[in-house]
Amino acid sequence: MAKTQLGARVDQDVAELAKKRAADLGLSIGDYLARLVQDDASGLRARAVEAASRFLAEHRDVFDEAEDAQRAAEDAQQPRPGAHAA
């Protein structure tokens, strides 16, 4: 397939983030951007976000319970006011 060159101006932080993500995935910037556009155009991203949202909603109680247990454990490790080390 023939390639077409595109030009775009983005903030420096966006450019650096794109370069890092492309490198993390082992892709060139062009291939990374092409993948993003294809995923967006096909609706893949929207479906993935929707699926994640449904999953979180369905399992909210489990996540809430885990967060409560973590908070309780962190609170138990905090020194109590007025407590003295022996």
Side-chain angles (χ1 to χ4, degrees):
M1 177 185 294
K3 301 272 184 175
T4 298
Q5 184 171 346
L6 299 174
R9 294 188 184 275
V10 297
D11 291 336
Q12 182 66 30
D13 57 334
V14 172
E16 292 302 319
L17 184 58
K19 290 176 187 176
K20 182 175 181 345
R21 284 299 296 142
D24 289 348
L25 296 169
L27 299 171
S28 68
I29 293 288
D31 288 343
Y32 175 63
L33 294 176
R35 179 187 282 187
L36 290 177
V37 170
Q38 289 169 341
D39 288 353
D40 181 53
S42 72
L44 179 63
R45 278 197 186 292
R47 290 192 308 272
V49 169
E50 183 180 322
S53 180
R54 277 194 320 269
F55 176 83
L56 291 172
E58 290 171 9
H59 301 342
R60 176 172 286 137
D61 293 342
V62 174
F63 290 114
D64 288 346
E65 185 178 312
E67 287 176 355
D68 290 345
Q70 183 177 3
R71 278 192 207 106
E74 290 170 355
D75 289 346
Q77 292 177 350
Q78 296 295 323
R80 296 178 188 200
H84 300 285

